[in-house]
Amino acid sequence: DRSGIREMANFSISQPYDFNRSRVDYTLNDRGQKIDQNGNYVSTFPWIATKLTGSLFLNEYLALRARYDYNLEDSRIETYKIDEQFTTKRGDALRLSFTFNKEGTDPLTNRVTRNGISQVVPSAEFVLTDRFKLGFFGKFDFTENEFTEKKSAMRYYSSCNCYTMDVVLADRINPDEQRLTFEFNLLGLGELNVPIFNKIGSDGSN
């Protein structure tokens, strides 16, 4: 009976490749670092950070996910991220995401990063009716010591369960802007730009 099968864990690895990096024109500064014609630091190493992601589903209500970004050019772990998700039977959800920096030196900017939490992202969604959900999302930056982004959203589910409509109010500090957007999503084609409603185990990675 396949109805009794439940996913308990999964693992994925991805390795992006940037073809444009190998074509960048650059000169070397007095430190031996590569800079473009505008004076910006550049990298010609085409293999972007390897992403390793593992998810653990402790039960149908609690899930954990960890992701490591490994810098092949500098041979070190740049960041790692831990996500926690708690859901209820009726569809409410609470999520908390922590991003950690590993100590090291950025090969482009020569900036030293320290061990510790760099960002916390809390989010929540609440079921109002069979057709409506209310969601909240925040991004707290420990460098700036403030919320750099906040979002509130209302989602409508169609009666045919084939599309959703979102009304999203966003507030960001860099750039300083407030925005109201309306979004239409066809179910089965992926969630679009609304991290509030992206779940661990879905196509949304936050």
Side-chain angles (χ1 to χ4, degrees), residues 19-151:
F19 288 94
N20 292 324
R21 284 192 175 187
S22 60
R23 305 188 186 102
V24 172
D25 293 326
Y26 66 90
T27 57
L28 297 178
N29 63 11
D30 55 359
R31 296 183 178 180
Q33 296 168 315
K34 300 172 183 177
I35 57 174
D36 62 17
Q37 58 185 359
N38 298 318
N40 300 316
Y41 294 102
V42 296
S43 172
T44 57
F45 191 75
W47 297 101
I48 304 174
T50 305
K51 300 182 185 300
L52 298 95
T53 304
S55 300
L56 179 64
F57 305 96
L58 302 178
N59 54 47
E60 59 181 313
Y61 305 116
L62 184 62
L64 301 174
R65 177 173 58 194
R67 191 185 80 185
Y68 290 85
D69 290 352
Y70 187 81
N71 188 323
L72 292 175
E73 183 176 14
D74 202 31
S75 300
R76 68 183 180 91
I77 294 176
E78 287 185 330
T79 60
Y80 59 97
K81 183 178 178 182
I82 297 175
D83 302 325
E84 303 171 1
Q85 173 182 281
F86 175 76
T87 57
T88 66
K89 276 188 175 181
R90 67 175 208 144
D92 304 306
L94 296 174
R95 302 183 189 91
L96 196 58
S97 173
F98 298 90
T99 300
F100 299 83
N101 282 332
K102 294 291 288 182
E103 185 172 0
T105 302
D106 190 311
L108 300 184
T109 64
N110 214 30
R111 178 184 175 185
V112 176
T113 58
R114 304 295 182 187
N115 286 329
I117 300 176
S118 62
Q119 182 176 271
V120 173
V121 179
S123 65
E125 62 181 82
F126 304 98
V127 175
L128 302 180
T129 69
D130 291 342
R131 296 282 178 262
F132 289 95
K133 271 188 178 182
L134 184 64
F136 302 95
F137 166 89
K139 187 179 291 186
F140 188 86
D141 191 306
F142 279 84
T143 303
E144 302 291 337
N145 201 30
E146 64 179 324
F147 279 95
T148 58
E149 184 177 359
K150 291 178 285 186
K151 287 185 179 181

